[in-house]
């Protein structure tokens, strides 16, 4: 079961990623644009997720994903770290969020970053 240190290590392994404290919590940014946070007590992560996909995730796996009230109007979803299957699932979630925030130059330089096998 992954934890906050795994999330931090994986996020920082993604190209051009930095960690910055904002709103009293660690945030992770690619080229200055936020793609993940470790909110509250660092038992979950918040990541970018298109609203349509986010709603489907929450309905399909409510024990794993949820939407924080203050993030409902934004394209973000929360994932409980202790509900994730393994580091591979955490890596996929973080890489997907990274791709949504990364500039074109990084996407072009790392076209297969974080893609699930077969994509």
């Amino acid at each position: 079961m992954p934890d906050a240190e795994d999330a931090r290590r994986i996020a920082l392994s993604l190209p051009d990623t930095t960690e910055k404290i904002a709103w009293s919590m660690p945030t992770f940014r690619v080229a200055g644009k936020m793609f993940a946070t470790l909110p509250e007590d660092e038992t979950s992560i918040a990541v970018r997720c298109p609203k349509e996909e986010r709603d489907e995730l929450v309905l399909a796996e409510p024990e794993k994903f949820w939407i924080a009230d203050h993030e409902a109007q934004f394209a973000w979803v929360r994932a409980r770290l202790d509900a994730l299957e393994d580091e591979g699932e955490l890596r996929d979630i973080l890489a997907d969020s990274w791709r949504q925030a990364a500039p074109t130059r990084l996407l072009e330089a790392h076209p297969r970053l974080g893609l699930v096998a077969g994509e």
Side-chain angles (χ1 to χ4, degrees), residues 23-56:
W23 307 287
S24 302
M25 70 179 131
T27 67
F28 301 91
R29 299 160 189 259
V30 54
K33 196 169 180 183
M34 191 164 48
F35 71 91
T37 68
L38 278 167
E40 290 91 33
D41 59 2
E42 298 188 358
T43 60
S44 66
I45 57 170
V47 293
R48 291 174 173 267
C49 185
K51 287 183 180 181
E52 307 78 36
E53 292 177 29
R54 170 187 82 172
D55 295 342
E56 289 176 19

Side-chain angles (χ1 to χ4, degrees), residues 3 5 12 21-22 24 31 45 47 49 53 57 60 72 75 86-87 93-94 98 103-104 106 109 117:
D3 61 19
E5 286 309 310
L12 290 172
I21 300 297
S24 302
I45 57 170
V47 293
C49 185
E53 292 177 29
L57 278 174
D86 54 25
E87 280 191 34
I93 290 168
L94 286 167
W98 179 91
T104 302
L106 284 174

Side-chain angles (χ1 to χ4, degrees), residues 7-106:
R8 177 175 280 109
R9 177 178 44 78
I10 292 167
L12 290 172
S13 74
L14 298 169
D16 204 21
T17 294
T18 58
E19 181 175 350
K20 178 181 179 182
I21 300 297
W23 307 287
S24 302
M25 70 179 131
T27 67
F28 301 91
R29 299 160 189 259
V30 54
K33 196 169 180 183
M34 191 164 48
F35 71 91
T37 68
L38 278 167
E40 290 91 33
D41 59 2
E42 298 188 358
T43 60
S44 66
I45 57 170
V47 293
R48 291 174 173 267
C49 185
K51 287 183 180 181
E52 307 78 36
E53 292 177 29
R54 170 187 82 172
D55 295 342
E56 289 176 19
L57 278 174
V58 171
L59 285 172
E61 297 182 88
E63 71 289 347
K64 191 179 290 188
F65 299 103
W66 87 100
I67 302 165
D69 291 340
H70 66 280
E71 295 168 344
Q73 72 270 29
F74 303 107
W76 286 75
V77 69
R78 301 272 183 108
R80 292 173 182 85
L81 291 170
D82 65 359
L84 299 180
E85 293 175 25
D86 54 25
E87 280 191 34
E89 184 177 23
L90 175 58
R91 183 178 314 281
D92 289 345
I93 290 168
L94 286 167
D96 185 56
S97 186
W98 179 91
R99 283 194 306 274
Q100 293 175 60
T104 302
R105 69 176 170 79
L106 284 174

